[in-house]
Amino acid sequence: MASLAATEQHTATAPKVIQPAWVRLMHWINAVAIILMILSGLQIYNASPLFRSLTFSSSITLGGWLAGGLLWHFAAMWLLMINGLAYLITGFATGRFKKKLLPISPRGVISDAVAALTFKLSHDDLSKYNQVQRLLYAGIIVVGIVIVLSGLSIWKPVQFQYLTALFGGYDIARYVHFFCMSTIVAFLTIHILLAVLVPKSLRAMIIGR
Amino acid sequence: MGRLRKLLIPGVDKKLLVKDATRAMPDLVRRRFITGGASLGALTLLTGCDVVSSDSAEEMLKRVSKFNDAVQALIFNPYALAPTFPESAITKPFPFNGYYEVDDAPDIDGKDWKLEVSGLVENKKPWTLDELYKLPQQKQITRHICVEGWSAIGSWTGTPLSYFLKAIGADTSAKYCWFQCADRDGYNSPLDMESALHPQTIMAFKFADEILPRAYGYPMKIRVPTKLGFKNPKYVLSMEVTNDYKGGYWEDQGYNSFSGN
């Protein structure tokens, strides 16, 4: 309690930093990496679609053809992996994940979701995530980990065969990888929409306050 | 690779595109083809610089791909065996796969065919099919994984390439076994020596216990279950043991050279 009081006192005197510099930096690196990964991934998907009737227009694919898509995918993966690892380590080490994302309760998520949908949710204190945000942000971290692991198991089904087996084999790992991507796209849609609806949250992710 | 050609970009004349992408296109255009694409406008906005329309993006991607070759060679465990499967898991029918229709597959007369051996080997005598059939063989049921993403389980029988390399007195400290094949437009491909010596890398003479049919690479296919399908040469004519990186049919077009599983 003492430390909490101290924090509050501190924030009263100095302008409050909502998003620290490392979060902002890693957020935007991740944004570039994930967009490159998605667009090049759709190009790779088109070479052998998992769903017969679902292919992606060349206007949203990156690489021009399969070889180009693969080159982009296996270049951007380094950006995604290194930045993602740094983010996870810093997030746990600084206690940010625990502080910002916990606790999450089903009741809290429901009541905050209802409040949001009836435009009664407060956005006065952007440093404190509501329960829906906590659920989405924690959830997308988990999805991020799963998409990297399923990607590794498709890339190296012999060298990392135990990982591939964990996903139920090579073919199933491809579906897992694809559905994780779909989840990330759904998340991004909501994420960007909300950032536009609450522009000061976008400002905080750019200049910190 | 046939399907690769068919599914490049929906809504584009596939046959034409294939020709463009592989043969007819001059280098510069092919390069644009790799890095181009309408979605890249968004990237330019994001990064504030025109990374993708320039040749520097192409160069950067190639350099990363080379770096990825080295990383994969590092990850490669020569003792890690590809998972094997029961007979019941074999994919039926096993897909024909090439950058041409099955009717255009090489039609080789096994009586005239000889495997030419060259480079850093002691004995460069060519091998007839009958001579090769007398070498010890082993069978594997493994998963063939295409660079496009699909996979199929097949059964191949043949002589471990490591056995053959020893038999011809090959310098196994050399970097590559380079295969030249009879496919149209001169398919060839380099195989790094570590993968060539892998216990599951075989000179396959049989598919599903029958003499390798024309569709699957008669008279000889190099089956490398630790590599993507396009690194498994079919219709092999010759093998050169070499320290030089000689490139390959798909590798030269931008596919990652190591492409290990």
Side-chain angles (χ1 to χ4, degrees):
Chain A
M1 270 324 262
S3 67
L4 193 69
T7 314
E8 274 166 8
Q9 219 165 31
H10 174 73
T11 52
T13 51
K16 195 170 180 175
V17 173
I18 299 166
Q19 306 292 5
W22 69 268
V23 170
R24 284 177 276 142
L25 179 73
M26 290 183 190
H27 172 270
W28 291 111
I29 291 176
N30 186 60
V32 173
I34 203 78
I35 287 168
L36 289 175
M37 289 304 274
I38 291 171
L39 300 183
S40 58
L42 297 181
Q43 179 75 61
I44 297 167
Y45 171 95
N46 276 352
S48 181
L50 290 170
F51 306 98
R52 205 162 284 222
S53 56
L54 179 65
T55 56
F56 299 96
S57 154
S58 62
S59 61
I60 55 160
T61 60
L62 173 62
W65 71 312
L66 175 58
L70 289 164
L71 285 176
W72 278 106
H73 209 67
F74 291 122
M77 76 171 180
W78 293 111
L79 198 60
L80 185 83
M81 281 214 304
I82 292 167
N83 186 63
L85 266 180
Y87 175 73
L88 287 181
I89 291 167
T90 323
F92 281 115
T94 59
R96 180 184 164 90
F97 287 163
K98 201 176 163 190
K99 193 176 114 201
K100 295 280 231 180
L101 302 178
L102 294 179
I104 306 172
S105 70
R107 182 184 296 205
V109 170
I110 292 167
S111 72
D112 278 356
V114 170
L117 292 172
T118 51
F119 297 99
K120 282 177 192 151
L121 196 63
S122 164
H123 299 298
D124 293 340
D125 185 2
L126 287 179
S127 68
K128 202 165 177 293
Y129 291 151
N130 64 58
Q131 294 262 338
V132 179
Q133 278 179 303
R134 288 181 200 176
L135 179 70
L136 288 179
Y137 294 152
I140 208 65
I141 290 171
V142 173
V143 173
I145 292 169
V146 175
I147 202 168
V148 168
L149 293 179
S150 60
L152 286 173
S153 73
I154 299 169
W155 187 42
K156 292 278 163 270
V158 174
Q159 305 307 330
F160 302 156
Q161 55 188 277
Y162 296 105
L163 187 63
T164 312
L166 204 65
F167 282 105
Y170 173 83
D171 286 334
I172 296 172
R174 283 182 75 204
Y175 283 94
V176 173
H177 199 58
F178 181 81
F179 285 120
C180 285
M181 182 278 297
S182 312
T183 308
I184 290 172
V185 170
F187 169 85
L188 273 179
T189 310
I190 298 169
H191 187 58
I192 293 167
L193 182 76
L194 291 180
V196 170
L197 285 176
V198 188
K200 61 182 176 177
S201 67
L202 181 60
R203 189 191 65 189
M205 194 46 91
I206 297 168
I207 61 169
R209 290 188 291 274
Chain B
M1 279 290 181
R3 290 178 54 188
L4 175 91
R5 304 304 188 95
K6 284 180 199 146
L7 297 162
L8 290 176
I9 299 172
V12 174
D13 186 309
K14 292 148 192 162
K15 288 253 161 74
L16 270 179
L17 188 63
V18 169
K19 276 186 189 156
D20 284 358
T22 54
R23 287 195 300 272
M25 282 177 124
D27 269 350
L28 190 71
V29 182
R30 193 185 293 159
R31 221 177 294 156
R32 297 254 180 261
F33 204 40
I34 289 177
T35 54
S39 58
L40 299 183
L43 186 69
T44 308
L45 284 176
L46 270 176
T47 57
C49 59
D50 198 7
V51 287
V52 281
S53 69
S54 66
D55 289 347
S56 61
E58 170 80 6
E59 279 312 307
M60 181 272 294
L61 290 174
K62 275 187 187 164
R63 238 174 289 150
V64 176
S65 192
K66 265 194 183 162
F67 171 71
N68 286 344
D69 283 341
V71 171
Q72 291 177 90
L74 209 66
I75 291 175
F76 183 79
N77 173 0
Y79 304 105
L81 298 180
T84 54
F85 299 86
E87 298 268 350
S88 58
I90 293 173
T91 307
K92 287 170 187 162
F94 192 85
F96 164 78
N97 193 43
Y99 49 91
Y100 39 74
E101 300 302 318
V102 66
D103 292 341
D104 294 330
D107 196 1
I108 293 172
D109 184 349
K111 288 187 201 80
D112 299 337
W113 179 87
K114 273 182 185 171
L115 175 68
E116 306 284 341
V117 177
S118 65
L120 304 169
V121 296
E122 280 165 20
N123 188 350
K124 294 182 181 168
K125 171 191 91 71
W127 290 67
T128 66
L129 209 43
D130 282 339
E131 288 167 337
L132 288 169
Y133 283 165
K134 284 179 190 135
L135 299 175
Q137 298 193 1
Q138 66 183 42
K139 179 178 170 180
Q140 62 172 263
I141 300 174
T142 48
R143 186 187 292 277
H144 169 106
I145 296 174
C146 182
V147 67
E148 295 170 323
W150 59 268
S151 78
I153 294 170
S155 148
W156 291 271
T157 306
T159 304
L161 185 58
S162 61
Y163 180 93
F164 184 71
L165 287 168
K166 274 181 208 109
I168 60 173
D171 176 4
T172 51
S173 68
K175 285 184 185 157
Y176 305 100
C177 291
W178 189 72
F179 297 96
Q180 180 64 55
C181 302
D183 311 64
R184 61 193 302 179
D185 311 320
Y187 174 95
N188 46 36
S189 186
L191 182 64
D192 55 281
M193 188 58 79
E194 268 213 301
S195 300
L197 294 173
H198 187 273
Q200 285 171 311
T201 299
I202 60 172
M203 307 159 84
F205 302 114
K206 283 181 181 170
F207 182 86
D209 303 320
E210 306 282 343
I211 291 295
L212 203 62
R214 180 179 162 207
Y216 303 152
Y218 181 82
M220 184 174 100
K221 170 199 174 87
I222 308 297
R223 171 65 189 143
V224 195
T226 56
K227 292 283 189 197
L228 292 177
F230 80 92
K231 304 280 295 183
N232 286 236
K234 297 176 284 193
Y235 318 102
V236 176
L237 296 175
S238 66
M239 179 183 79
E240 180 180 345
V241 177
T242 175
N243 277 312
D244 302 327
Y245 180 74
K246 300 191 163 225
Y249 182 84
W250 289 113
E251 291 85 346
D252 292 350
Q253 295 179 51
Y255 285 92
N256 176 263
S257 187
F258 195 90
S259 285
N261 288 339

